[in-house]
Amino acid sequence: AMLLALAGAAGIAALSGVPYAAEPAQHAVIRLAWRAPGERDRRCRHLSPGEVAKLRAHMRQEEVCERRILPYRLRVAVDDVTVVNEEVRAGGASADRPLFVYRDLPVSPGMHALSITFEREAITEHSETEEEEGHHRETPPRLTLEQSVRVSARSILLVTYDDERQRLRLLAAPAARR
């Protein structure tokens, strides 16, 4: 039993030194990953006397306001082919959380023309943007990134939002060691 255990341990030790590629795929990835505060919106309406009368005494007010983060439209084109065209909405029950974008776009190695637009959807009438107390910084109504990029096999290019400069940034991941 002891010899069998030693032989098994030696076999495992020998196999641990064999090189292994976890993913043999030869594509690259453009990763979109950011968090943006968005733009706050407030919709208010005056209640009718009948609506106010139906409320409990401690909840009576003449005006009711709803707050939310406005949705944005994300459009991504790689080599003039649209690969993403979707609405990005804020999370939370009241849609008052930041906007989150996380997408992996597989691309073939080589040169690619990358075009990204992150644009606020139109504000409807009876809405007004809201000034937030404190140091809240709104996301600009339109962010764009137009760039030619060279990607190599098994590499990741990261597109993220720079909150300080209020713009999209492209970052290359460090080269993987093989």
Side-chain angles (χ1 to χ4, degrees):
M2 182 65 104
L3 285 174
L4 185 60
L6 287 174
I12 290 174
L15 288 175
S16 69
V18 175
Y20 172 74
E23 183 181 335
Q26 294 301 311
H27 68 275
V29 172
I30 297 174
R31 179 168 290 157
L32 311 175
W34 66 80
R35 172 189 177 275
E39 183 173 332
R40 295 186 184 276
D41 176 47
R42 185 175 71 179
R43 294 181 185 185
C44 297
R45 71 177 187 90
H46 290 282
L47 298 177
S48 68
E51 289 176 310
V52 172
K54 290 180 184 177
L55 295 173
R56 295 184 182 190
H58 70 282
M59 296 180 69
R60 289 186 181 161
Q61 54 189 15
E62 293 181 11
E63 185 178 60
V64 175
C65 295
E66 295 178 8
R67 292 179 174 91
R68 68 183 180 124
I69 301 293
L70 294 172
Y72 276 65
R73 169 77 45 190
L74 174 63
R75 290 183 186 90
V76 180
V78 178
D79 298 328
D80 296 324
V81 176
T82 301
V83 293
V84 176
N85 184 3
E86 65 185 29
E87 186 178 62
V88 178
R89 292 189 161 275
S94 302
D96 59 351
R97 300 290 180 244
L99 301 163
F100 287 96
V101 173
Y102 187 84
R103 294 286 304 258
D104 278 350
L105 307 174
V107 294
S108 60
M111 286 296 294
H112 295 284
L114 181 62
S115 173
I116 300 173
T117 304
F118 190 61
E119 185 171 28
R120 186 184 66 219
E121 297 280 64
I123 299 176
T124 60
E125 53 195 78
H126 307 299
S127 293
E128 56 188 63
T129 57
E130 178 180 82
E131 291 294 325
E132 178 76 10
E133 298 92 24
H135 62 282
H136 175 79
R137 293 180 66 166
E138 292 181 346
T139 305
R142 181 177 169 88
L143 296 167
T144 59
L145 178 68
E146 306 269 341
Q147 194 164 344
S148 292
V149 294
R150 177 179 299 280
V151 292
S152 57
R154 300 182 67 189
S155 67
I156 298 173
L157 294 179
L158 174 66
V159 177
T160 189
Y161 175 65
D162 183 346
D163 192 34
E164 289 296 317
R165 294 188 176 121
Q166 294 190 313
R167 66 181 180 97
L168 294 176
R169 290 184 56 199
L170 178 68
L171 305 170
R177 292 193 177 125
R178 294 183 188 193

